Amino acid sequence: MKRIDALRAIHDDLADCAVVTIMGAVAAELQSLGHRPNHFYLQHAMGLASSLGLGIALSRPDLDVVVIDGDGSLLMNLGGLTTLARYQPSNLVHIVFDNESLLSVGGFPTATSTGSDLAGIAAAAGVPRTGTVRSVEDFAGAFRAARAARMLSTIVAKVDAVGPSAFVTDLGLLENRYQFARHLRRPSA
Amino acid sequence: MPVSLTASSTIYAALKASGVRVVSALPETWLVHLIRMAEDDPEMTLVRLAKEEEGVGISAGAHLAGVRSAMLMQNHGFLASVNGIVSCAQLYRIPLLMLISARGEFGERDPWQTEGGLVTRHVLDALRIPVDELGHASEVAHKVAQAQTLAYSASRPVALLLTRDLMWEEA
């Protein structure tokens, strides 16, 4: 499965969520499918997207939060899985696109390429719903089931190590940050 | 335990008064009362971390969602958080109130704390993080309020160092 096809399959579903992504290919691909003010692309601070999503989820239980993580980023903050599991926000779905590669910096293999199982690690950390999917159909189904379950879920989606040719978009980092914050704080949100 | 309950209560009250409703923390001896106060307070969300850098993400998320937060950590936890501070809180202009226990300064008896005490202020300065210290209970409320005001007006991290004179009562 290609990550962009997986993103396309849930793009409509994301319209009413607070979406936090990691940097690089994921951020560029989601923007190419259609940026919205409810998308925040954490363009550095590798590992902290899940923590940032947890901060939103705990601060605003009325919002549905979707974190779009990657294998390289999650491996930098495995302890954060135990924090997610400790608080188990029912309004957070944690997607991990696992291409077994640090694609953005030349495709060096991550530890998932040698057998580390991120869904297994999440389950062992105490995340109540976890799973690994390998097709776009299974991914979209798992995402919708996770939202409907109202229970913290980590979905690991195995994807090809391919991405866009460029990662920089015309959306400024601070423009994105202020737009996102305004969106979350709007009276109707 | 000779960690000052009085000073901890004063600091906690100042955090509440400055609007803090989310506290992320990793335990260390000087912080035990503060963490228990946050845990026992139904108006406060306490996030117990595995590593301090996570707290930068928690605070960034809370801020973007419109909630004031603070981090409680030892200076070694601050040192462990530096990339998150730079590439999340500073890059994205997040007001971030950090209360850092200043271990390893005069009076420190634990040999393992002594190296961190030598570098903490230098690292804060190198990161251009405004810093003040809480040395006496009488200045806590004012300095916490002032630190929070600057964090918000500058949209940047700020630090308050919790000193031994404030936090520790010799038995």
Side-chain angles (χ1 to χ4, degrees), chain B residues 7-8 20 26 38-39 41 44 64 69 75 85 88 108 113 115-117 125 139 146 158-160 166:
Chain B
S8 300
V20 170
L26 203 96
E39 185 169 42
D41 182 353
M44 191 68 80
L64 294 173
S69 69
N75 49 345
I85 291 167
C88 180
E108 180 66 61
Q113 302 289 7
E115 206 64 24
D125 287 346
E139 64 188 10
Q146 300 280 59
V158 301
L160 286 168
L166 177 69

Side-chain angles (χ1 to χ4, degrees), chain B residues 20-171:
Chain B
V20 170
R21 292 298 176 268
V22 172
V23 164
S24 63
L26 203 96
E28 91 111 2
T29 311
W30 291 11
L31 302 175
V32 290
H33 297 315
L34 276 166
I35 291 172
R36 290 214 177 96
M37 288 167 196
E39 185 169 42
D40 293 342
D41 182 353
E43 293 179 350
M44 191 68 80
T45 299
L46 170 68
V47 184
R48 294 177 178 275
L49 308 169
K51 194 166 184 178
E52 291 85 351
E53 189 183 12
E54 293 172 58
V56 181
I58 299 289
S59 280
H63 173 69
L64 294 173
V67 175
R68 291 194 178 207
S69 69
M71 291 177 70
L72 301 177
M73 58 194 164
Q74 194 186 81
N75 49 345
H76 290 84
F78 160 70
L79 295 172
S81 305
V82 166
N83 181 58
I85 291 167
V86 173
S87 65
C88 180
Q90 292 185 329
L91 184 64
Y92 281 102
R93 303 299 295 264
I94 304 294
L96 176 64
L97 177 60
M98 301 185 288
L99 268 62
I100 301 168
S101 56
R103 302 299 306 269
E105 304 220 337
F106 283 1
E108 180 66 61
R109 290 186 177 134
D110 294 341
W112 47 87
Q113 302 289 7
T114 55
E115 206 64 24
L118 294 174
V119 301
T120 299
R121 288 165 196 267
H122 294 292
V123 176
L124 284 163
D125 287 346
L127 298 176
R128 300 185 305 144
I129 294 173
V131 57
D132 202 345
E133 66 177 39
L134 301 180
H136 193 271
S138 64
E139 64 188 10
V140 165
H142 179 67
K143 285 193 174 181
V144 169
Q146 300 280 59
Q148 187 74 284
T149 298
L150 181 62
Y152 269 80
S153 62
S155 272
R156 291 183 60 87
V158 301
L160 286 168
L161 294 173
L162 308 179
T163 63
R164 175 174 300 272
D165 285 347
L166 177 69
M167 300 305 293
W168 198 253
E169 292 169 348
E170 294 296 342

Side-chain angles (χ1 to χ4, degrees), chain A residues 89-103:
Chain A
S90 62
N91 57 332
L92 196 155
V93 176
H94 180 212
I95 295 167
V96 184
F97 284 123
D98 180 3
N99 59 14
E100 304 184 355
S101 165
L102 290 161
L103 180 68

Side-chain angles (χ1 to χ4, degrees), chain A residues 1-179:
Chain A
M1 134 173 69
K2 287 194 171 63
R3 183 183 43 234
I4 193 164
D5 294 330
L7 285 169
R8 187 179 290 114
I10 64 166
H11 189 253
D12 287 347
D13 301 78
L14 298 177
D16 61 349
C17 302
V19 181
V20 178
T21 81
I22 60 164
M23 67 191 299
V26 182
E29 287 179 349
L30 186 57
Q31 288 179 62
S32 76
L33 293 168
H35 171 66
R36 300 188 185 104
N38 59 307
H39 297 178
F40 178 67
Y41 316 99
L42 182 61
Q43 296 283 16
H44 212 324
M46 277 183 73
L48 291 190
S50 56
S51 305
L52 197 149
L54 178 60
I56 297 172
L58 294 176
S59 299
R60 290 285 303 275
D62 57 306
L63 294 174
D64 278 6
V65 180
V66 177
V67 172
I68 305 181
D69 216 334
D71 51 310
S73 286
L74 182 54
L75 285 164
M76 287 197 190
N77 187 13
L78 287 178
L81 280 173
T82 68
T83 309
L84 283 178
R86 187 196 283 262
Y87 296 98
Q88 297 199 11
S90 62
N91 57 332
L92 196 155
V93 176
H94 180 212
I95 295 167
V96 184
F97 284 123
D98 180 3
N99 59 14
E100 304 184 355
S101 165
L102 290 161
L103 180 68
S104 308
V105 291
F108 295 97
T110 67
T112 63
S113 73
T114 53
S116 295
D117 169 10
L118 291 173
I121 292 170
V127 175
R129 295 182 82 259
T130 62
T132 300
V133 293
R134 298 171 189 280
S135 73
V136 172
E137 294 72 26
D138 287 351
F139 170 71
F143 176 72
R144 286 168 194 144
R147 283 195 73 190
R150 310 300 304 167
M151 190 183 288
L152 174 67
S153 307
T154 295
I155 302 167
V156 177
K158 288 285 191 179
V159 294
D160 302 340
V162 293
S165 55
F167 299 139
V168 176
T169 73
D170 66 356
L171 181 66
L173 273 58
L174 291 179
E175 180 185 9
N176 179 217
R177 168 248 191 273
Y178 284 107
Q179 184 185 54

